[in-house]
């Protein structure tokens, strides 16, 4: 059944079923619809808006750059490309294998393109070591984006059906199961690619030993560990990367979403220079990747994260968020809660209704949130949210759940 779609012109392909709110303006943690109603944004663009809407420092950086130069293509270089690469490797380099001194980056635009870039790098790195039919180990219930190759190893029927033939070379194992990863590794394996915490799947946090085990397995096998931190990275979990939670340094890290500050799509792969160094002129690229406007915003994003204050804030507010959600479980208003930092997956009692129905009820109370699967909701407020606003949103959630569904 098609969801009750907001009235439209019918010119949009129906690949989304948005909640019925038409946003006209936004500021910080709040958006305003075309009728002037205000809503607290507890989704934050799936972490693309980690710094809230129109963060003044990011908007200023974009405005300044609009008056200078916005696009050159990589046929030429421009004066922010190296500074952005330097800054991003400065921020994330210490969290990747080899450390900041040994890291480099590839600028792209969307998350999916950056994951594709990591896959291409891993395959080409494998080829340079004589592996001609490489395999990459991935997790069940993964989400890495929507390209044909990425949906080839999705385990979500909706994401895959009708899109074959699929790209071969991927082995799917249960998420969080290190023994299954070990069993899947053979001489064809070039990499393990996973989200540190699975976002779309409902904020699934693995046991603390899982990522350290992955690191050890990859070291033993001499293969690459690739973390898709498109949603989990850049402060969301209370650390710069989610992998920092476990002191695990992947060989490649994929970034996106928040890297563009909610202004422009900016993504990147950051990692070992001996791996990303497999790319030579003409072997990979992007018209828009690393464009001046993207670099200006990306530099300002890195700057916002450079002091660690926002990560600290995500951690502190995250403890508050998780404590309040735990209370809702104790009150039996929620079935389960998972999370890290300012990021939570909550399971509603299916007897109350679907996740979508909860989101509609929240919308009526002026709160934006999004369901993932069935009766699961994902909460990912801006890292800049005030504790008062966060409490307001959680009060609305509590009231919704205390009502009859
Ligand atoms: C959103 C997301 C992507 C895809 O990013 P796009 O910019 O939508 O292509 C990839 N990986 C993860 C973990 C994501 O959450």
């Amino acid at each position: 059944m098609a969801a009750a779609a907001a009235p439209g012109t019918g010119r949009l392909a129906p690949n989304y079923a948005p909640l019925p709110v038409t946003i006209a303006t936004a500021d910080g943690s709040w958006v305003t619809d075309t009728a002037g109603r205000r809503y607290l944004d507890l989704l934050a663009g799936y972490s693309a808006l980690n710094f809230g809407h129109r963060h003044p420092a990011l908007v200023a950086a974009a405005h300044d750059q609009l008056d200078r130069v916005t696009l050159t293509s990589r046929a030429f270089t421009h004066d922010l490309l190296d500074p952005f690469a330097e800054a991003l490797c400065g921020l994330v380099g210490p969290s990747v294998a080899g450390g900041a001194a040994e890291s480099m980056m590839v600028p792209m635009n969307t998350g999916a393109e950056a994951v594709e870039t990591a896959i291409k790098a891993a395959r080409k790195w494998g080829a340079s070591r004589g592996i001609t039919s490489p395999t990459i180990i991935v997790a069940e219930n993964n989400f890495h984006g929507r390209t044909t190759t990425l949906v080839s190893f999705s385990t979500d029927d909706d994401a895959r059906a009708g899109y074959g033939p699929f790209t071969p070379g991927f082995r799917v194992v249960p998420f969080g199961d290190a023994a299954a990863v070990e069993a899947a590794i053979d001489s064809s394996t070039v990499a393990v690619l996973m989200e540190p915490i699975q976002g779309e799947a409902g904020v699934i946090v693995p046991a603390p030993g899982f990522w350290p085990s992955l690191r050890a397995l990859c070291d033993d096998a001499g293969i690459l560990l690739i973390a898709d931190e498109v949603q989990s990275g850049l402060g969301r979990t209370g650390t710069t990367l989610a992998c920092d939670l476990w002191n695990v340094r992947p060989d490649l890290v994929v970034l996106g979403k928040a890297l563009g500050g909610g202004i422009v799509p900016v993504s990147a792969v950051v990692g070992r220079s001996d791996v990303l160094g497999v790319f030579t002129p003409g072997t990979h690229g992007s018209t828009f990747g690393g464009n001046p406007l993207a670099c200006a915003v990306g530099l300002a994003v890195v700057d916002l994260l450079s002091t660690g204050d926002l990560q600290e804030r995500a951690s502190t507010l995250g403890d508050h968020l998780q404590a309040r959600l735990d209370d809702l479980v104790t009150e039996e208003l929620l079935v389960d809660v998972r999370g890290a930092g300012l990021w939570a997956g909550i399971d509603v009692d299916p007897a109350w209704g679907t996740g979508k129905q909860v989101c509609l009820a929240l919308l009526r109370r002026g709160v934006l949130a999004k369901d993932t699967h069935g009766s699961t909701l994902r909460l990912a407020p801006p890292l800049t949210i005030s504790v008062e606003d966060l409490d307001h949103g959680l009060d609305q959630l509590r009231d919704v759940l205390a009502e009859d569904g």
Side-chain angles (χ1 to χ4, degrees), residues 108-129:
M108 299 296 287
N109 309 285
T110 65
E113 281 179 307
V115 179
E116 291 268 3
T117 299
I119 291 170
K120 287 172 78 176
R123 285 182 166 192
K124 208 169 179 61
W125 174 84
S128 74
R129 299 158 74 89

Side-chain angles (χ1 to χ4, degrees), residues 51-116:
F51 315 102
H53 294 268
R54 297 169 49 246
H55 187 288
L58 302 180
V59 169
H63 274 158
D64 282 354
Q65 195 56 37
L66 284 174
D67 291 332
R68 296 180 62 227
V69 57
T70 54
L71 191 74
T72 58
S73 88
R74 296 284 303 271
F76 317 106
T77 190
H78 64 81
D79 59 359
L80 294 184
L81 195 51
D82 271 320
F84 178 45
E86 190 68 37
L88 189 62
C89 288
L91 179 73
V92 176
S95 300
V96 302
E102 289 302 319
S103 67
M104 56 170 61
M105 65 86 94
V106 182
M108 299 296 287
N109 309 285
T110 65
E113 281 179 307
V115 179
E116 291 268 3

